[in-house]
Amino acid sequence: MSIISRNVFRALVQGSQHVSKGVHTTAVNKDKNVCFAQHTISTLQTKEGRIKCTLIPGDGVGPEMVYSVQEVFKAANIPVDFESFFFSEVNPTLSAPLEDVVNSIAKNKICIKTWHTSVTSSTFIHLYLHAIYLPLLIYSASVKLGHGLATNQGAGQKGVPQGILATPDFSHTGELQTLNMKLRNALDLYANVVHVKSLPNVKCRHHDVDCIIIREQTEGEYSALEHESVPGVVECLKIITAAKSERIAKFAFDYAVKMGRKKVTAVHKANIMKLGDGLFLRSCEEMAKLYPRIQFEKMIVDNCTMQMVSNPNQFDVMVTPNLYGNIVDNLASGLVGGAGVVAGASYSAECAVFEQGARHIFSGAVGKNIANPTAMLLCSANLLAHVNLHSYSKMIKNAINK
Amino acid sequence: MAVRILSRLVLPEIKGAAFASSAAAPATLSDFDVQHKTPVIRKQQLIPKAQYGGRHAVTMLPGGGIGPECMGYVRDIFKYIGAPVDFEVVDIDPNVDNDDDVQYAITTIKRNGVGIKGNIETKSEAAYVTSRNVALRNELDMYAYVLNCKSFPGVCTRHKDIDITIIRQNTEGEYAMLEHESVRGVIESMKVVTASNSERVARFAFEFAKKNGKKKVTTVHKANIMKLSDGLFLETSRRLAKEYPEIEHNDMIIDNCCMQLVAKPHQFDVMLMTNLYGSIVSNVVCGLLGGAGLLSGRNYGDHYAVFEPGTRNTGTAIAGKNVANPIAMINASIDMLEHLGHHYHAELLRRAVHRTVNEDRVLTPDCGGTASSTDVVNSIIGNIGQVGH
């Protein structure tokens, strides 16, 4: 009897989680096959062959770097028009509404963005103070978000260069989701790609590092499901789903095929998190069967980080869940010269957002003209390749290598 | 016990709630999305779709003969118009007897969902080596083949303004590849017709007619001789016709049909037929419209779609001579763009092809012109620039 009742209790609890999840992730695509932001007229809105692109300067040194990108585009006479949005979490009053930004990206389908700051410890204070109201807050936030999405459907554009949006360590509103996470969830930007490649003229410990790190970024530890069940005990839920794991695994293999790579490494910690990471790992193994000409291997995250600093040349394409990806991204960026030289991109089915590989706003360098714009320029080169402007893309890449 | 019932009561509701929240489907889905979202029969596990940042991954099988050169033209044009498609090229060596390459090609189509192919050669005539084209269609269960036959005003032909759609059962019938020699000198070849496959393709035909505003469906058969097999096919289509009262349905025997086609082709609208008749009739119609190099065909299953030139011949004799007609493959690529939902690029390319063939009349020798393949492609690329504004 006790077993039965416990099972029932679990069913109820899981059920309520289902429901609550259903409520506050209206933004997130549950169904892996539904692509949000359907475009009716399809593809790039070109007016006289010009491409429109959303631009998010972000915080810290972001605006300076974005400026350098705009200068280069102007100098090279590249047919791209920017639609700029000030979007910031540290400055909530000046920030453009999330809906507008999401709409613009969904319409343009491309965006370039620098990083946002996240806020940490006061989130916790807020959480502590508003433990009771929290569900309500999340609910209202999600309703707002959901509304933004509903109005957004049917809009249609494609890639977005982004600066870095900083997220402070505390929250002004008591929301657990940062602006970056909201943006990702709203657009379902599930795949983050960071291409770590040694630049010939940047002096580093390792040479010829050339690996692609692909990270799931809409679930896992970043689910923003944290709560304090008893004072002094905080639970953070890490969510892994088969649908999203399969989706990211397929993304990684397809990316490897597209780039002509030989090997995909799944990074996990399934020896400890046997169910969660286990599911991720199994999904990757399933997908690997469809790609008989690509080698598949798996590696535990701690060993992976060690291998990465001692022998980074062994890696080709890596696929990781959310948090490990974040760590490995930054580690790998450090290997080839830091946050200033690595470009990244986030993809949904419909949109692409181009941003720096390592996410750090570097506020210390603001206004000093010392921030390294290479990463943003690489981003813009990738953006141009994405919209079939290969000659311009090559032009920028060659200029960087010189 | 009561508790158990409670749990049973609670769970379905929860599932329902979770489902409803994700049901906010976008208003317009491309055919590609529909295939990934609502397959009629869920036979295999659904694979996440290969669409990233608005770009689709598509398998390209150049095949033999003129295939590789035509695919080269398609890629040039796609690069020029900036179509958001990334090709995964799989070459199949015609001289190798094993099926590794073909199996790999099938796997890539399974994960990309969409393919574009030339005709694949099967050099070996050994009984145990199956035709690779047939193997591809059977493995992917692409049961319906659609050939849109519309006259090109710029191509000189005996009949004008023909507009026929041929829908052909693509996986069974005479192509069941079940042949054996029971006694020396006596060979039996089996033709397999199943009710389920007949129904699927008939429903496909009527749905197609409904969706595209067609008036009439004609079932082509030989049920006067093959009373059971073709009889089943005919009966199934008659039964389904009752579900679509707004569409006229009639049937015609294959021999009469061929005669009518060359004499009075305008009486036909949508034609529905089994495998072998489809092969014959589609070639007849292609001949009426100006040859093998113009039309494009589409293979559909529940999950996959493969696009190819309308007549399935490799054209090995004219390979490498720069005289092959690239229009068929380009039309196939237009169908593919349409299927993926890239209507803007499809329309751009369609208008450019229309202009090249019907207004500028830049045609290869097979259609009575004098231009080379590259002339045609260059003309199309030039026209894209003009129709784009």
Side-chain angles (χ1 to χ4, degrees):
Chain A
M1 195 60 208
S2 69
I3 292 171
I4 294 171
S5 60
R6 198 187 301 157
N7 281 344
V8 168
F9 177 70
R10 194 184 293 157
L12 284 170
V13 169
Q14 281 171 351
S16 64
Q17 282 168 358
H18 262 284
V19 171
S20 66
K21 204 173 167 233
V23 171
H24 75 96
T25 53
T26 35
V28 185
N29 284 337
K30 287 261 209 53
D31 184 340
K32 64 190 168 193
N33 297 309
V34 178
C35 44
F36 168 67
Q38 265 292 315
H39 48 128
T40 38
I41 315 164
S42 161
T43 62
L44 309 162
Q45 306 278 314
T46 47
K47 189 186 158 202
E48 287 161 25
R50 291 188 76 84
I51 288 161
K52 243 180 158 181
C53 165
T54 310
L55 176 79
I56 303 173
D59 304 311
V61 292
E64 293 173 30
M65 306 224 261
V66 164
Y67 177 71
S68 65
V69 170
Q70 281 173 313
E71 280 297 294
V72 170
F73 273 41
K74 223 185 276 169
N77 204 9
I78 295 171
V80 173
D81 294 324
F82 290 110
E83 198 174 272
S84 185
F85 283 94
F86 182 74
F87 193 48
S88 163
E89 192 165 347
V90 259
N91 262 324
T93 41
L94 292 174
S95 173
L98 178 67
E99 292 152 39
D100 291 2
V101 179
V102 167
N103 275 334
S104 164
I105 298 174
K107 184 156 65 67
N108 293 329
K109 294 189 183 302
I110 46 172
C111 168
I112 191 158
K113 149 178 176 286
T114 60
W115 200 232
H116 301 253
T117 338
S118 300
V119 209
T120 353
S121 60
S122 95
T123 313
F124 187 73
I125 297 164
H126 264 270
L127 174 62
Y128 188 73
L129 288 175
H130 296 290
I132 302 164
Y133 303 108
L134 186 64
L136 198 65
L137 284 171
I138 291 180
Y139 177 76
S140 62
S142 68
V143 167
K144 260 189 267 163
L145 199 58
H147 176 69
L149 292 171
T151 52
N152 173 42
Q153 283 194 357
Q157 255 172 355
K158 215 157 235 177
V160 191
Q162 280 187 328
I164 293 175
L165 301 181
T167 310
D169 298 344
F170 54 90
S171 161
H172 295 288
T173 53
E175 283 175 27
L176 288 178
Q177 278 200 327
T178 66
L179 211 47
N180 278 307
M181 283 154 73
K182 281 188 209 159
L183 190 68
R184 277 180 222 155
N185 285 344
L187 289 163
D188 192 31
L189 294 163
Y190 64 92
N192 182 262
V193 179
V194 174
H195 192 165
V196 180
K197 194 165 191 288
S198 300
L199 292 172
N201 294 329
V202 178
K203 271 195 189 141
C204 304
R205 220 167 270 276
H206 296 282
H207 300 284
D208 303 324
V209 178
D210 186 5
C211 71
I212 297 170
I213 301 159
I214 291 165
R215 159 189 176 199
E216 208 304 321
Q217 57 175 7
T218 54
E219 59 170 14
E221 297 84 356
Y222 286 50
S223 57
L225 295 173
E226 291 185 299
H227 58 262
E228 190 169 33
S229 30
V230 182
V233 180
V234 175
E235 285 180 334
C236 169
L237 298 181
K238 166 172 171 172
I239 312 285
I240 303 269
T241 60
K244 286 194 171 176
S245 302
E246 277 168 19
R247 187 167 73 162
I248 194 70
K250 180 140 190 288
F251 180 94
F253 280 105
D254 277 342
Y255 202 84
V257 168
K258 186 181 161 191
M259 306 305 273
R261 298 298 181 123
K262 298 274 173 298
K263 188 169 82 172
V264 172
T265 310
V267 180
H268 64 96
K269 189 73 187 169
N271 54 338
I272 305 297
M273 279 161 277
K274 291 186 202 296
L275 291 179
D277 280 19
L279 178 61
F280 175 80
L281 193 58
R282 270 206 314 282
S283 307
C284 291
E285 281 169 351
E286 272 309 302
M287 268 314 142
K289 285 181 195 155
L290 290 172
Y291 298 81
R293 294 187 183 179
I294 291 177
Q295 196 193 335
F296 173 70
E297 65 174 32
K298 41 202 172 178
M299 194 176 275
I300 294 173
V301 61
D302 38 5
N303 180 27
C304 173
T305 47
M306 181 174 72
Q307 298 284 336
M308 196 87 204
V309 288
S310 56
N311 181 16
N313 298 327
Q314 67 177 297
F315 294 107
D316 200 346
V317 175
M318 299 162 86
V319 55
T320 72
N322 210 335
L323 184 63
Y324 312 150
N326 187 225
I327 296 166
V328 175
D329 274 354
N330 277 269
L331 177 69
S333 304
L335 288 178
V336 298
V341 294
V342 179
S346 296
Y347 293 92
S348 71
E350 295 287 336
C351 314
V353 173
F354 295 86
E355 59 200 348
Q356 277 160 297
R359 292 159 174 174
H360 191 276
I361 54 156
F362 200 19
S363 342
V366 176
K368 292 184 187 155
N369 204 15
I370 53 165
N372 191 342
T374 311
M376 284 317 289
L377 290 171
L378 277 174
C379 282
S380 60
N382 291 342
L383 175 122
L384 292 171
H386 181 80
V387 295
N388 285 307
L389 294 170
H390 293 282
S391 52
Y392 290 115
S393 167
K394 276 205 190 101
M395 200 195 308
I396 292 183
K397 280 203 171 154
N398 289 341
I400 292 168
N401 280 336
K402 268 186 195 165
Chain B
M1 196 57 215
V3 178
R4 224 178 255 175
I5 291 166
L6 179 70
S7 75
R8 225 179 267 163
L9 281 174
V10 168
L11 281 172
E13 273 176 44
I14 291 162
K15 270 186 198 156
F19 182 74
S21 67
S22 70
T28 50
L29 290 174
S30 67
D31 295 346
F32 175 74
D33 290 322
V34 171
Q35 279 192 332
H36 276 75
K37 201 162 168 253
T38 52
V40 185
I41 304 163
R42 207 172 269 239
K43 271 187 184 162
Q44 53 267 86
Q45 183 203 0
L46 221 51
I47 299 171
K49 67 178 171 184
Q51 183 191 10
Y52 310 112
R55 296 181 75 91
H56 288 89
V58 168
T59 301
M60 178 183 262
L61 309 174
I66 58 167
E69 40 187 295
C70 287
M71 288 301 186
Y73 303 140
V74 168
R75 285 158 81 176
D76 287 347
I77 291 172
F78 271 38
K79 206 182 257 176
Y80 185 77
I81 63 172
V85 170
D86 294 311
F87 289 114
E88 183 184 348
V89 182
V90 181
D91 285 310
I92 296 174
D93 187 350
N95 298 315
V96 178
D97 248 8
N98 66 31
D99 269 354
D100 287 356
D101 284 343
V102 180
Q103 283 309 325
Y104 183 69
I106 290 168
T107 311
T108 61
I109 294 175
K110 276 187 180 161
R111 51 180 152 82
N112 291 330
V114 177
I116 181 167
K117 75 186 255 291
N119 205 17
I120 303 161
E121 280 178 289
T122 317
K123 282 237 173 103
S124 166
E125 295 203 342
Y128 61 89
V129 180
T130 58
S131 158
R132 291 173 169 167
N133 291 304
V134 177
L136 195 78
R137 298 201 292 270
N138 286 353
E139 284 266 330
L140 295 171
D141 191 29
M142 294 188 292
Y143 58 86
Y145 175 79
V146 182
L147 183 71
N148 268 345
C149 314
K150 203 166 178 193
S151 287
F152 289 85
V155 180
C156 217
T157 50
R158 215 167 275 275
H159 296 281
K160 301 272 173 240
D161 301 324
I162 298 176
D163 186 4
I164 303 174
T165 307
I166 294 169
I167 293 173
R168 160 185 178 190
Q169 210 295 330
N170 216 3
T171 52
E172 56 175 19
E174 299 82 355
Y175 286 52
M177 295 185 293
L178 297 170
E179 293 185 303
H180 57 261
E181 190 169 29
S182 32
V183 183
R184 187 174 285 273
V186 180
I187 293 188
E188 290 180 6
S189 167
M190 282 189 222
K191 166 172 173 171
V192 179
V193 177
T194 62
S196 64
N197 272 334
S198 303
E199 183 169 339
R200 277 205 289 180
V201 75
R203 190 169 297 284
F204 184 93
F206 282 106
E207 284 294 332
F208 181 91
K210 198 166 130 188
K211 203 172 148 194
N212 294 286
K214 302 279 183 183
K215 299 276 176 298
K216 191 168 87 171
V217 174
T218 307
T219 305
V220 179
H221 62 95
K222 188 77 184 169
N224 54 337
I225 305 296
M226 282 165 273
K227 290 185 201 298
L228 290 180
S229 59
D230 277 20
L232 175 64
F233 187 79
L234 178 60
E235 216 171 274
T236 313
S237 60
R238 276 186 184 150
R239 180 161 54 80
L240 278 173
K242 286 184 192 137
E243 292 180 29
Y244 299 86
E246 71 279 13
I247 297 164
E248 191 190 334
H249 176 249
N250 64 353
D251 56 273
M252 194 174 277
I253 292 169
I254 172 74
D255 35 6
N256 180 27
C257 173
C258 287
M259 185 172 69
Q260 297 286 338
L261 263 177
V262 290
K264 287 185 277 177
H266 297 104
Q267 62 180 297
F268 296 103
D269 198 352
V270 176
M271 301 172 79
L272 167 67
M273 59 203 81
T274 54
N275 212 335
L276 182 64
Y277 309 148
S279 168
I280 296 166
V281 169
S282 50
N283 275 271
V284 170
V285 179
C286 281
L288 285 178
L289 294 187
L294 289 172
L295 300 175
S296 59
R298 297 170 274 170
N299 298 283
Y300 286 112
D302 280 336
H303 305 273
Y304 316 112
V306 173
F307 302 87
E308 61 180 340
T311 46
R312 291 163 175 166
N313 31 28
T314 43
T316 315
I318 55 166
K321 291 184 182 156
N322 201 13
V323 291
N325 195 340
I327 301 288
M329 197 67 90
I330 292 168
N331 275 334
S333 73
I334 295 175
D335 290 342
M336 185 192 80
L337 285 171
E338 201 71 71
H339 175 77
L340 293 171
H342 298 305
H343 304 298
Y344 169 77
H345 291 109
E347 190 53 38
L348 193 65
L349 192 47
R350 186 176 296 127
R351 272 156 57 195
V353 170
H354 176 82
R355 214 181 235 211
T356 298
V357 175
N358 299 332
E359 290 169 23
D360 302 348
R361 304 208 172 189
V362 181
L363 298 167
T364 46
D366 58 316
C367 297
T370 51
S372 66
S373 313
T374 40
D375 289 342
V376 176
V377 174
N378 288 336
S379 160
I380 291 173
I381 289 181
N383 280 331
I384 290 167
Q386 289 175 25
V387 297
H389 301 307

